[in-house]
Amino acid sequence: MSFIYNLPDEQLNPKQCETDSNALVIIGANGAGKSKLGAWIEQQDLENIHRIGAQRNLNFNENITLKSYSQAEDIVFWGTAEENQKNGKGYRWEWGKSYTTKLMNDFEDVLAALIALKNNENDNFVNQCKKAEETNNEKPHTPVTSIDKLSYIWNDVFPQRDLLIEDSKFYAFLQKNGKEMRYSANQMSDGERSVLYLASQVLCVPKNKILIIDEPEIHLHRSIMNRLWKALEKHRQDCLFIYITHDTQFAAMHGNADKIWIQDYDGEHWKFKKIEDNDLPEELLLDILGNRNNVLFVEGEKNSFDVQLYGALYPSYHIIPCGSCSQVIERTKVFNNNPSLHNCKVYGIIDRDYRSDYEIEKYKENNIFTLNVAEVENLFITEELIRLMAEHMGKEANTTFEEIKKYVIHTRFSHQIESQICQSVVAQIKYKLSCVDISKQNSEKAKASLETAFKSINYEQVSSNETEKFQKILSEQNYADVIKVFNEKGIAKSIGQYFNIDNSSYCTTVISLLNGSKHNDIVAALLPYFPTEIPR
């Protein structure tokens, strides 16, 4: 089954689009005109499109005022049951004054419509049974009513509790500690009432409609959000669901849905693009499309010290932790090779590690830059930061720095220099091998390319060069040069003693001050160790 919907062209004329999926996700940053686009789509076919606005009043009376289905349906769909006020859904959207901002206050009408629909279904069943009796034919099977479907959906979303409908009243029902408990639907949590409202809306809408849902994630926890919409899509396969959202996880979880990214909106015209299949991680791609800031890929995990440091140094960037340096390199390259997918600048920052100057310069060609320390943890032990922290804690800055310098160079670096040289040699050779162009044409060419690569790598020369470099740095005892090549993550967690605090407290203290009274001072102390090529 395919569905037809309209999107505006450059002159705001409707352009027909077709999809084989019954879900379409329109995603964009805040202020990108998403809700206005949803309103525009609705206005192209008012009789066949039902839009659920983002502003929803989830309060209603315990006793539902019953109505006929046609009356309740008109109130839900058109905003009124009065024929002379239906034109253009003007009553529903206050005659164009609040297409995207009106607070929807139709919860009770939606429940009344669902009850009326169930009553119609039951009446129809009874009439069919009577007719079968009169003609001595087999009676029809008991129908699955709209209320039955609502209960199925509810159980999909909230498997630990049931939904009861008694005498036009809705209840949540559960067993706790061996006791049965029930509470009225108007006393439910925001999430429960939101599920009840949205599910009832979708189920009471007539067949073969387009449903536009603005901000489907409101009031819904991530653990239930996707379960709800998947269940509703399953029960209403006759309808096309158009979701308008900035929630990238919601969009990514709709793997089979078509996705439209709103790139820009000037107040009247939209610029948008359909997201086609690509080799980018979908959730990551959508995360970038959903923001308007430039992007900075970094190593580390969410909420780690290094990510917090990057966030402080680059406050106007969308910081995305990638875990490993290889992921930073790969993602930065891929996004910069697909500029048509985004409107932002994309950079990557990686640790210096054991990289050669040549390797570092090559990465710059792809907007990938390195720190001026071996690894991000070494930012905590830079001379400028040590002096700043010493002064803050009432210590003598020169003395404290000299003590830490001696500890880092003589106690740690000098005793690990052989292993540091070995790891640097291995890193240099690995990089040289990674640059080899191994042909995929056939095995003979691949073998020849690899043999040529092996011959071009002089292990003894690499080892000699790295040994000379490390020994020179050790003999000169230039502290900045030492932390530029010394890869040892544990050092930053071993110098708290020099400030008369626990070793484990030093980094957290720096982060606390960075987020507080010493923010500007710490940023100034660390800035010389960050790449100048990335504008702040």
Side-chain angles (χ1 to χ4, degrees), residues 302-367:
K302 288 182 178 178
N303 300 319
S304 60
F305 285 154
D306 42 340
V307 171
Q308 294 182 64
L309 290 174
Y310 290 124
L313 269 293
Y314 299 97
S316 63
Y317 283 74
H318 183 39
I319 308 294
I320 300 180
C322 301
S324 67
C325 63
S326 60
Q327 284 293 305
V328 174
I329 294 168
E330 178 184 350
R331 290 177 176 180
T332 307
K333 286 182 177 180
V334 170
F335 273 91
N336 281 320
N337 287 334
N338 290 271
S340 62
L341 284 176
H342 53 85
N343 293 330
C344 53
K345 295 287 186 180
V346 178
Y347 301 92
I349 292 185
I350 55 179
D351 294 350
R352 192 176 188 88
D353 288 325
Y354 300 102
R355 293 184 171 87
S356 66
D357 292 339
Y358 173 79
E359 182 180 353
I360 290 170
E361 290 301 314
K362 290 297 292 182
Y363 283 134
K364 289 181 180 180
E365 296 174 4
N366 292 289
N367 272 7

Side-chain angles (χ1 to χ4, degrees), residues 147 150-151 154-155 161-174 180-185 188 196:
I147 293 295
L150 177 63
S151 296
W154 180 272
N155 290 333
R161 68 202 70 179
D162 293 320
L163 183 68
L164 298 179
I165 296 92
E166 294 181 354
D167 192 24
S168 303
K169 295 180 182 179
F170 290 75
Y171 300 94
F173 174 83
L174 70 156
E180 294 184 351
M181 298 178 58
R182 70 162 65 184
Y183 49 94
S184 175
M188 290 176 175
L196 180 61

